[in-house]
Amino acid sequence: MKNYFFVPVSVSFLLASCGANTSGKSNGSSDMDANTSFKQLSAGTNYVCGIALNGNVKCQGENDYGQLGNGSNSNTENSTQVTNLTNVSFLSASLFNTCFVSNGNAYCAGSNRFGQLGNGSTSDSYTPVQVNSISNIVQISTGTNGYTCALTNSGTVYCWGSLADHSDRLSYKDSPNPIQINSQLSFKNISVGATNACAVTNDGDVYCWQNIDNLPNKVTGISNIKTVSTSGLASCALSNSGTTYCWGDNRYGQLGNGSNNNSNSPVQVLNITNFTTIIASGWNSCGITSDNKTFCWGLGESGQLGNGSNNNSSTPVQVNTSESFSQVSGSQYAFFAVNKNGKIFAWGAWKLNGLNPTINTTPVQINF
């Protein structure tokens, strides 16, 4: 059996609303059980976290480095609340650490080997610690190799953590404190991949950079972009018109242009021109359309395209569900989504309890 070691993808967008709370409890309830409604989720490596409508966060799954933020490093099959954080507006889960935005401040928990918690140290933390020297944060994105970036309400981007390709120990260097990225540019959206990051300027241009240099380079051939999502292997950009463009590794068709040829420049995703949200993972991508349909493309061997098969697809295929999803997050082998009522669904192969993976080729609601 394949060893399902999930590489997460940072969510590059947050929906303003995910429907009504149908749990029968007030949104201010601290008793967050399986019926609690969520407004955002983010999938990490064998764990997942979600923000409830009351602003509290729950996580479940693997927790070796304290990435669940609940004060321990014990794995859990049941959702547990993140400690000492309320009014959370955004979160991003990654390999072994998770970051949050609360009241405009950034907090991170979990592994800190490369300074990715941003608090000036390299000590792990089982509870969220505040990132140094930045405020007015509206979005945060964590990468799988210990690189994290945050976006302020004024359009400034700060990054911290790993500043090297750790396959090359000679170039090893880190920054446990935030560093500003190009003060001449103003951004509105960010996404961090394995060893890179991309951001969209207020003018709709996309810039990407490697964590070893923090020097943004403009992506040519696309404009009028709303959001960007990168995994490190491939990146996708969504235009204001609903057209999606992808570039990078395409061995499984994750660029969505009907081929398996890699491309260093953006190519248009075929057949769908009304996406409202998109996300790129390492080997597959998904998007939600304006008529509430979800499509995925790329690697499908574990059912992660959600269409009832295990086949790859180099063009978007519709996820087989009657649910209307408002947000999606995922990895190479699984995707998690929030429906309009704030309930969480999953498809593909995932394991949140350290046991054998659960495999479903179409979305199923999970107990969260």
Side-chain angles (χ1 to χ4, degrees), residues 11-12 53 100 171 204 238 298 341 347 356:
V11 180
S12 60
L53 293 181
F100 316 85
S171 65
L238 173 64
N341 292 321
W347 62 94
N356 291 328

Side-chain angles (χ1 to χ4, degrees), residues 53-71:
L53 293 181
N54 59 13
N56 292 335
V57 178
K58 293 186 75 175
C59 299
Q60 67 172 273
E62 294 189 1
N63 193 33
D64 293 341
Y65 294 89
Q67 59 265 42
L68 301 189
N70 63 357

Side-chain angles (χ1 to χ4, degrees), residues 5-350:
F5 186 72
F6 302 139
V7 178
V9 179
S10 298
V11 180
S12 60
F13 48 84
L14 174 63
L15 279 297
S17 174
C18 290
N21 184 343
T22 60
S23 66
K25 300 175 182 176
S26 69
N27 287 343
S29 171
S30 61
D31 180 16
M32 296 191 295
D33 57 22
N35 293 319
T36 300
S37 295
F38 291 84
K39 59 182 179 179
Q40 191 220 336
L41 81 162
S42 185
T45 300
N46 298 330
Y47 75 102
V48 64
C49 296
I51 306 174
L53 293 181
N54 59 13
N56 292 335
V57 178
K58 293 186 75 175
C59 299
Q60 67 172 273
E62 294 189 1
N63 193 33
D64 293 341
Y65 294 89
Q67 59 265 42
L68 301 189
N70 63 357
S72 80
N73 67 337
S74 299
N75 299 344
T76 175
E77 299 180 35
N78 301 310
S79 300
T80 61
Q81 186 166 317
V82 173
T83 302
N84 299 329
L85 273 188
T86 59
N87 197 31
V88 176
S89 57
F90 204 94
L91 72 86
S92 179
S94 185
L95 188 62
F96 300 126
N97 65 288
T98 311
C99 292
F100 316 85
V101 178
S102 172
N103 298 314
N105 295 312
Y107 299 84
C108 297
S111 174
N112 200 25
R113 178 182 178 186
F114 308 120
Q116 61 262 48
L117 301 191
N119 65 337
S121 80
T122 54
S123 299
D124 298 347
S125 180
Y126 298 167
T127 58
V129 294
Q130 187 169 347
V131 177
N132 288 340
S133 306
I134 58 174
S135 58
N136 299 315
I137 304 302
V138 294
Q139 187 189 359
I140 199 162
S141 184
T142 56
T144 55
N145 279 351
Y147 186 58
T148 302
C149 296
L151 173 68
T152 72
N153 60 5
S154 64
T156 303
V157 171
Y158 295 92
C159 299
W160 61 93
S162 170
L163 300 182
D165 176 0
H166 291 111
S167 64
D168 178 10
R169 301 302 296 181
L170 295 178
S171 65
Y172 175 86
K173 58 181 179 178
D174 303 314
S175 176
N177 292 295
I179 299 171
Q180 185 175 347
I181 303 297
N182 196 320
S183 60
Q184 303 303 311
L185 296 172
S186 181
F187 297 101
K188 62 181 180 180
N189 178 258
I190 58 169
S191 179
V192 176
T195 57
N196 74 313
C198 293
V200 183
T201 67
N202 289 330
D203 295 328
D205 294 322
V206 176
Y207 285 78
C208 296
W209 61 93
Q210 299 295 315
N211 62 345
I212 59 175
D213 56 29
N214 286 326
L215 298 175
N217 294 294
K218 186 177 180 179
V219 178
T220 59
I222 54 175
S223 60
N224 196 31
I225 299 301
K226 179 171 67 172
T227 62
V228 66
S229 179
T230 183
S231 68
L233 292 176
S235 303
C236 292
L238 173 64
S239 72
N240 286 310
S241 67
T243 302
T244 299
Y245 304 89
C246 299
W247 62 96
D249 189 300
N250 196 30
R251 72 188 74 180
Y252 298 109
Q254 62 264 45
L255 301 188
N257 67 332
S259 81
N260 294 97
N261 298 321
N262 298 343
S263 179
N264 292 326
S265 58
V267 294
Q268 185 174 335
V269 175
L270 297 180
N271 303 330
I272 309 296
T273 58
N274 64 330
F275 281 122
T276 58
T277 59
I278 51 96
I279 187 165
S281 89
W283 295 330
N284 35 47
S285 305
C286 288
I288 301 171
T289 64
S290 57
D291 54 352
N292 299 318
K293 296 176 182 178
T294 302
F295 292 83
C296 296
W297 56 98
L299 182 68
E301 66 177 7
S302 299
Q304 59 266 56
L305 301 189
N307 65 335
S309 80
N310 299 98
N311 298 323
N312 302 340
S313 179
S314 60
T315 58
V317 294
Q318 187 171 346
V319 174
N320 185 9
T321 181
S322 60
E323 298 293 334
S324 294
F325 296 128
S326 56
Q327 189 237 323
V328 62
S329 177
S331 67
Q332 281 99 329
Y333 297 112
F335 282 93
F336 297 81
V338 178
N339 75 357
K340 294 295 185 179
N341 292 321
K343 303 301 179 276
I344 296 177
F345 290 73
W347 62 94
W350 71 92

